[in-house]
Amino acid sequence: MNILITGAAGFVGKNLAAALQCIKDGKDRTRPALSIGELYLYDIDSPKELLEQACQKADFVFNLAGVNRPQNPAEFMEGNFGFASTLLDTLKKYQNTCPVVLSSSIQATCIGRYDSDYGRSKKAGEELFFQYAEETDAKVLVYRFPNLFGKWCRPNYNSAVATFCNNTANDLPITVNDPAIELELLYIDDLVDEMLDALEGKEHHCEFDGIQTVLQEGGRYCAAPITHRVTLGEIVDLLEQFKAQPQTLMMPEIPHNSFAKKLYSTYLSYLPKEKVSFPLKMNGDERGSFTELLRTPKCGQISVNISKPGITKGQHWHHTKWEFFIVVSGRGLIQMRKIGSEEVLNFEVSGEKIEAVHMLPGYTHNIINLSETEDLVTVMWANELFDPNKPDTFFEVVE
């Protein structure tokens, strides 16, 4: 399948092109039904001959080209309607009736209530495509995108989320006049998934109730099925938590497919080089060191413990707290004894055979570095955050 992407250098175009290239190269095998041939990536600086060649040979067209913030408002119509007309005329020239996707905007839904040059130009482009479908019987899929966000989105342009992420990551100020304002947001990977569905003939159709998207089989328009409704205040609060994570080590809750998870990935894509790595506090003495790596609101914390040769650490027990000890380098012995019992449980552990050992509640335990020359490195997970006011840790030797 030969695919033409117009606006290929833009935010959506770059992400879609990268996804298609991964499928073409066999790096992404999640779409076995898709066989990608030529990718024609056309943008405003591309030679006109490329558009001619692509319109002649394409089996599918994504028209993502558009104008968002021109110096002259008249350029809205020229960029969002004029180029669309050129594209469709070129397809007609070669009698190519392959499926065509148009990226429109929910602002086209607002015509008649609060008009804008941008919305009018998008609406005109939509009607042009629907007319083209009637004239040629070509399959036309018109998507009205809400606010988009994700990696590679240009800040200080037409995405508040991109601007907020960029400015927060780079210690620049952001302005929020009304934190209660709610946005409908579409994450770039969810959008790309929908574009790939469209390539497979599995696009999602919709209609609009005001500016609300309602998925509806047989609807005139198309939409990505997953969007998020979030207030500006919620976005800013999350970004402040992400920014503080290197100091607090607290990882906010980021459930699967949640807005928080997608926003965190977006935020990280704007980090400057000097923030990509950050130091951790190593608590060291003659026995070795102990370093907290990560804290979570509901799932405890992760640390790394380094024991010098011949050193024994631990020798304590907990009422409720429990842990995993995972030796990743060196050779050691983990010992446990139930309080009130004399039986000692011994577990030899090694970085050559990585395994997790439970530190059981009500069992005093230790870990011994058996090597005379090498450090013992152990990753430790505790089921709760350490609370100095209630440490639930009581000294008692194992044997």
Side-chain angles (χ1 to χ4, degrees), residues 111-131:
I111 302 305
R113 288 179 297 166
Y114 51 94
D115 290 352
S116 69
D117 291 321
Y118 177 71
R120 282 193 293 273
S121 67
K122 285 296 188 181
K123 180 67 173 177
E126 291 179 359
E127 295 305 321
L128 184 67
F129 269 70
F130 287 132
Q131 182 181 350

Side-chain angles (χ1 to χ4, degrees), residues 39-60:
L39 284 177
Y40 298 102
L41 306 181
Y42 185 84
D43 209 82
I44 190 169
D45 296 325
S46 301
K48 302 302 180 185
E49 294 77 15
L50 176 60
L51 184 63
E52 293 281 337
Q53 180 185 15
C55 286
Q56 185 176 6
K57 297 183 178 180
D59 301 303
F60 203 103

